[in-house]
Amino acid sequence: MKLKMIATFVLVILCTFITACGSSNIDHDLSTTGFQFRYEVVTNMKENPKNYKNKTIKIKGDLKSNGSAYYYLTETDNVCCTWKLEVKLGNDKMVFPTENKDGIIVVGEFSTYTKNNVEKPYLKITEFV
């Protein structure tokens, strides 16, 4: 089991670098990958944020809001798993859609902030695709 997890992690890292090779301004393009791959990469972003900090990420997911100022990208498969990543707007001219959007693609810069002495990851959206 542990060997499978290590192999999956190595595969995720290698594929992340491969998918980013075709674009000079996108470090990690997760917009065309499958759910399992996005799940693994987002999990790795949360566990190892320093590896992604200041990197440009292109990702597909469902844009949701809790009804206030908190927005996140999320995705659930039909078996067991859900990933969730907080998002913020990159500038004052941008606005979030007025309703939840499924299957939206966004580009943004990965960053973190500290709340209650805990480092929290988020994606600062610079473009809705």
Side-chain angles (χ1 to χ4, degrees), residues 57-111:
I57 311 293
K58 183 176 181 181
I59 189 168
K60 176 183 174 184
D62 302 332
L63 184 64
K64 306 288 182 186
S65 171
N66 68 351
S68 65
Y70 178 77
Y71 285 84
Y72 55 93
L73 279 174
T74 186
E75 189 175 29
T76 302
D77 69 358
N78 293 327
V79 181
C80 70
C81 306
T82 300
W83 63 262
K84 189 175 187 179
L85 182 62
E86 184 177 349
V87 294
K88 298 180 181 190
L89 295 176
N91 64 54
D92 292 339
K93 295 178 183 177
M94 297 181 77
V95 294
F96 280 112
T98 56
E99 57 188 48
N100 292 335
K101 296 288 185 186
D102 292 343
I104 193 167
I105 297 174
V106 299
V107 176
E109 183 178 311
F110 184 83
S111 193

Side-chain angles (χ1 to χ4, degrees), residues 1-101:
M1 181 70 170
K2 191 171 188 173
L3 181 59
K4 183 179 177 183
M5 288 175 57
I6 292 170
T8 301
F9 176 74
V10 169
L11 180 63
V12 166
I13 296 301
L14 288 174
C15 289
T16 300
F17 291 120
I18 291 169
T19 59
C21 290
S23 177
S24 60
N25 60 345
I26 305 289
D27 296 303
H28 303 288
D29 186 349
L30 306 175
S31 64
T32 59
T33 60
F35 169 82
Q36 188 63 37
F37 184 76
R38 283 191 295 274
Y39 176 83
E40 295 290 338
V41 173
V42 171
T43 299
N44 190 39
M45 287 176 177
K46 292 177 177 183
E47 292 173 355
N48 302 293
K50 66 181 180 295
N51 295 338
Y52 297 91
K53 205 161 193 174
N54 302 319
K55 300 289 185 187
T56 301
I57 311 293
K58 183 176 181 181
I59 189 168
K60 176 183 174 184
D62 302 332
L63 184 64
K64 306 288 182 186
S65 171
N66 68 351
S68 65
Y70 178 77
Y71 285 84
Y72 55 93
L73 279 174
T74 186
E75 189 175 29
T76 302
D77 69 358
N78 293 327
V79 181
C80 70
C81 306
T82 300
W83 63 262
K84 189 175 187 179
L85 182 62
E86 184 177 349
V87 294
K88 298 180 181 190
L89 295 176
N91 64 54
D92 292 339
K93 295 178 183 177
M94 297 181 77
V95 294
F96 280 112
T98 56
E99 57 188 48
N100 292 335
K101 296 288 185 186

